[in-house]
């Protein structure tokens, strides 16, 4: 009598149980964060990390373009200089330096600097958009920006 | 509050709670 095949039809084509793909997805989602944590600790403690860090020093990584300078100015204006400075200190790895530069140039230097709407209106749009999409961590940052742009507690609550 | 009709009260409530935290944080910074 031929051996019966095990009931793999619910296990997907590669033979794993259905919940395993969920675990894989969640792990893949967390990977950048895990890599960041591992990178941050190894860059601080190991020789390789130190060498890598000195090879691409902060000054080198932050070769400031005009767009970058403009972005930095707008960012400080929106967030408040002290808060923006504190956020700078919290980022340490080289990958984050690159992302930071991109974000500073593209988001703050180009997007926030576009003509047409003033910063106050743009800040409110971000607050509304974050609320509509349930982006709570981003909302906290954008609320701070809106507050710094002159929206009061009462006026922002009404909207 | 104006957004309640468009995106629903739970999200707006959550947003207001976030706002409360942020404003509290900003008050403490000063």
């Amino acid at each position: 009598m031929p051996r019966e095949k095990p009931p793999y039809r619910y296990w997907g084509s590669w033979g794993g149980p259905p919940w395993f793909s969920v675990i894989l997805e969640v792990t893949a989602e967390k990977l950048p964060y895990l890599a960041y944590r591992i990178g941050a600790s190894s860059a601080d403690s190991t020789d390789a990390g130190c060498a890598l860090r000195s090879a691409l020093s902060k000054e080198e990584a932050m070769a400031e373009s005009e767009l970058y300078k403009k972005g930095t100015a707008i960012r400080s204006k929106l967030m408040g200089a002290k808060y923006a400075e504190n956020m700078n200190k919290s980022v340490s790895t080289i990958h984050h330096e690159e992302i930071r530069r991109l974000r500073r140039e593209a988001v703050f230097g180009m997007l926030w600097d576009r003509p047409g709407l003033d910063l106050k209106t743009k800040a409110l749009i971000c607050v509304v958009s974050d609320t509509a999409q349930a982006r709570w961590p981003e909302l906290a940052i954008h609320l701070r920006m809106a507050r710094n742009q002159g929206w009061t507690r009462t006026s922002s609550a009404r909207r | 509050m104006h957004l309640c009709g468009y995106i629903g009260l739970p999200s707006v409530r959550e947003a207001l709670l976030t706002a409360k935290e942020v404003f509290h944080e900003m008050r403490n910074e000063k």
Side-chain angles (χ1 to χ4, degrees):
Chain A
M1 194 176 165
R3 217 174 119 195
E4 271 187 33
K5 274 190 174 180
Y8 277 165
R9 63 198 165 104
Y10 297 117
W11 279 30
S13 57
W14 56 279
W19 48 263
F20 197 70
S21 62
V22 176
I23 290 176
L24 276 182
E25 271 175 35
V26 172
T27 315
E29 200 178 296
K30 297 282 176 204
L31 264 180
Y33 174 68
L34 293 171
Y36 161 67
R37 291 305 299 263
I38 293 162
S41 58
S42 66
D44 286 337
S45 57
T46 64
D47 291 344
C50 292
L52 200 63
R53 192 171 249 199
S54 58
L56 186 62
S57 64
K58 274 196 172 174
E59 286 74 23
E60 225 174 303
M62 290 289 153
E64 292 183 2
S65 63
E66 279 304 309
L67 211 53
Y68 186 89
K69 283 177 191 165
K70 203 196 287 177
T72 307
I74 291 176
R75 184 171 173 268
S76 302
K77 198 175 165 187
L78 285 165
M79 290 181 176
K82 198 179 164 190
Y83 188 80
E85 197 56 42
N86 283 344
M87 273 186 99
N88 289 347
K89 284 176 196 161
S90 68
V91 181
S92 59
T93 64
I94 289 162
H95 295 300
H96 274 231
E97 296 286 348
E98 284 300 310
I99 291 168
R100 182 205 293 187
R101 192 205 310 219
L102 177 70
R103 194 176 53 201
R104 197 77 59 90
E105 289 178 351
V107 178
F108 291 102
M110 288 165 78
L111 269 177
W112 280 89
D113 197 41
R114 290 190 70 216
L117 295 172
D118 58 346
L119 287 181
K120 193 176 175 182
T121 314
K122 285 175 189 168
L124 185 66
I125 290 171
C126 288
V127 168
V128 171
S129 164
D130 291 334
T131 309
Q133 295 182 84
R135 306 278 194 251
W136 310 127
E138 292 80 7
L139 177 68
I141 295 169
H142 288 137
L143 271 170
R144 179 179 290 272
M145 294 177 178
R147 193 77 199 266
N148 286 337
Q149 287 307 303
W151 290 109
T152 61
R153 195 177 151 188
T154 328
S155 64
S156 51
R158 279 197 191 120
R159 280 156 185 89
Chain B
M1 299 308 286
H2 182 66
L3 284 173
C4 287
Y6 295 97
I7 61 174
L9 199 55
S11 288
V12 173
R13 179 181 174 271
E14 195 65 38
L16 287 174
L17 289 173
T18 309
K20 190 180 164 189
E21 279 170 26
V22 173
F23 293 161
H24 182 70
E25 202 178 292
M26 287 179 83
R27 253 199 312 279
N28 286 346
E29 282 170 15
K30 284 174 187 171

